[in-house]
Amino acid sequence: MLRGLYSAASGLIAQQRRHDTVTNNIANLNTPGFKQSDAVTRSFPEMLLAMSRVNDTQRTEIGRWNSGVFAEEAVISYRQGDLMQTNQPSDFAIVSHIAVPGLAFDESGKSVAEDGQVTYQPQAFFTLETADGERAYTRGGRFLVSADGFLTSAGGHRVLGVNNEPIQLAPNVSISDWTLADNRRFIDANGVDTGVELLVSRIDNPHELVRSGEGLFRLTDGAAAVQPIAGADNVQVMQGYMERSNVDAAQSSVDLMAALRAYEANQKVVQFYDQSLQKAVNEVGRV
């Protein structure tokens, strides 16, 4: 009897985590460059149930049974978000459609070969330097200029150039005086190349990234080396634009309702087992 109780309890936990993932997506619906997460639910390994009598070598197989489900992970969707024109010179948006020869990617950015090998579409990210000197990556290009002239993220992390040094404006120079060219180099108000080029990094397997808060990602240990995007990569950085969150509000609402209904169904199963156990103890046990 308790097997069903454990299955229902695992379902409650899985749906709660699914609910938390969806609500986090909805909360970041207006966060620039935010990438949606999708909860992946898997079942526990199957078990073969059988019955046998004491001291009897024969047994009767009942069938296979899954002992429950669990929310294994939250997979990030790196689908391109819509662009919104802001006309703010410190706002930047990445439009990334990096191709890999011989591969066709679906909407989720995944290509599956005939032998089952999965290849993920490379993605482009702004490169930041955190306060502890480590690299971080983001698609949220709503930047600011600090009091000492550094181009920073909203969280105060400095934006890096291709020389791996933070981008800093000269004294008495405004970011509105700089224009980003197609080659990602800044041009001043006189049309002269400033010598500063925005570093946009290519991550060949974006699923090696983990969230670290404030819209930032960090690479996991043992991840492949990161390279600046090349001229052949189909990547464009647009100034005066902002990439919006790629969260699908309508689908998130449906997923939220589905998680709630599934949670209620598992809750009713737990209540049923609770009532059955109560009868077994208070009524059957008394006889």
Side-chain angles (χ1 to χ4, degrees):
M1 178 186 293
L2 293 180
R3 292 194 185 101
L5 181 62
Y6 295 147
S7 297
S10 69
L12 288 173
I13 298 173
Q15 294 304 323
Q16 182 179 2
R17 291 180 178 176
R18 180 186 177 191
H19 181 274
D20 293 343
T21 300
V22 177
T23 52
N24 183 63
N25 291 335
I26 295 176
N28 288 279
L29 190 62
N30 295 318
T31 301
F34 180 81
K35 298 304 178 183
Q36 173 177 307
S37 294
D38 298 311
V40 177
T41 303
R42 299 185 185 276
S43 62
F44 289 113
E46 283 188 341
M47 301 174 62
L48 179 62
L49 299 183
M51 290 194 322
S52 62
R53 292 178 296 181
V54 179
N55 299 325
D56 191 348
T57 58
Q58 295 183 349
R59 67 176 186 175
T60 303
E61 293 187 359
I62 300 175
R64 297 184 180 275
W65 171 68
N66 289 102
S67 55
V69 297
F70 66 104
E72 183 181 44
E73 59 181 334
V75 178
I76 302 174
S77 170
Y78 292 97
R79 185 180 66 253
Q80 176 72 44
D82 297 331
L83 299 188
M84 181 177 69
Q85 187 172 9
T86 64
N87 295 321
Q88 295 294 327
S90 59
D91 287 347
F92 300 89
I94 293 177
V95 181
S96 175
H97 299 288
I98 300 176
V100 177
L103 296 180
F105 298 101
D106 57 19
E107 186 179 354
S108 65
K110 181 174 63 176
S111 175
V112 182
E114 294 182 356
D115 59 358
Q117 182 178 359
V118 178
T119 303
Y120 296 101
Q121 185 176 22
Q123 297 293 332
F125 294 85
F126 297 112
T127 310
L128 308 178
E129 182 182 64
T130 62
D132 53 8
E134 296 185 356
R135 291 287 186 91
Y137 306 93
T138 184
R139 287 294 288 263
R142 173 158 284 182
F143 298 142
L144 305 171
V145 178
S146 63
D148 47 2
F150 286 100
L151 189 65
T152 69
S153 67
H157 307 294
R158 294 177 177 178
V159 182
L160 295 182
V162 292
N163 59 354
N164 293 319
E165 295 293 332
I167 296 176
Q168 184 178 22
L169 283 69
N172 301 322
V173 175
S174 171
I175 187 63
S176 59
D177 297 328
W178 282 15
T179 302
L180 190 69
D182 292 340
N183 59 359
R184 296 172 299 281
R185 296 181 69 88
F186 286 99
I187 308 299
D188 64 16
N190 297 321
V192 179
D193 191 333
T194 62
V196 178
E197 182 178 346
L198 183 65
L199 175 59
V200 179
S201 297
R202 168 176 168 154
I203 309 294
D204 284 334
N205 184 1
H207 292 284
E208 293 179 334
L209 295 168
V210 294
R211 295 190 191 272
S212 60
E214 299 179 343
L216 304 182
F217 297 92
R218 297 177 187 266
L219 280 172
T220 56
D221 294 336
V226 179
Q227 300 293 334
I229 59 173
D233 294 330
N234 187 11
V235 176
Q236 183 182 6
V237 182
M238 303 181 64
Q239 187 177 15
Y241 286 81
M242 180 189 69
E243 182 184 4
R244 302 178 63 182
S245 166
N246 69 350
V247 176
D248 188 334
Q251 185 61 47
S252 295
S253 299
V254 173
D255 293 341
L256 196 65
M257 186 61 65
L260 177 60
R261 297 304 185 198
Y263 187 93
E264 290 177 343
N266 283 283
Q267 189 179 38
K268 290 183 181 299
V269 173
V270 172
Q271 292 174 347
F272 169 78
Y273 275 104
D274 180 64
Q275 294 172 1
S276 299
L277 290 172
Q278 184 180 11
K279 287 186 177 182
V281 173
N282 296 334
E283 298 180 15
V284 177
R286 194 179 340 179
V287 176

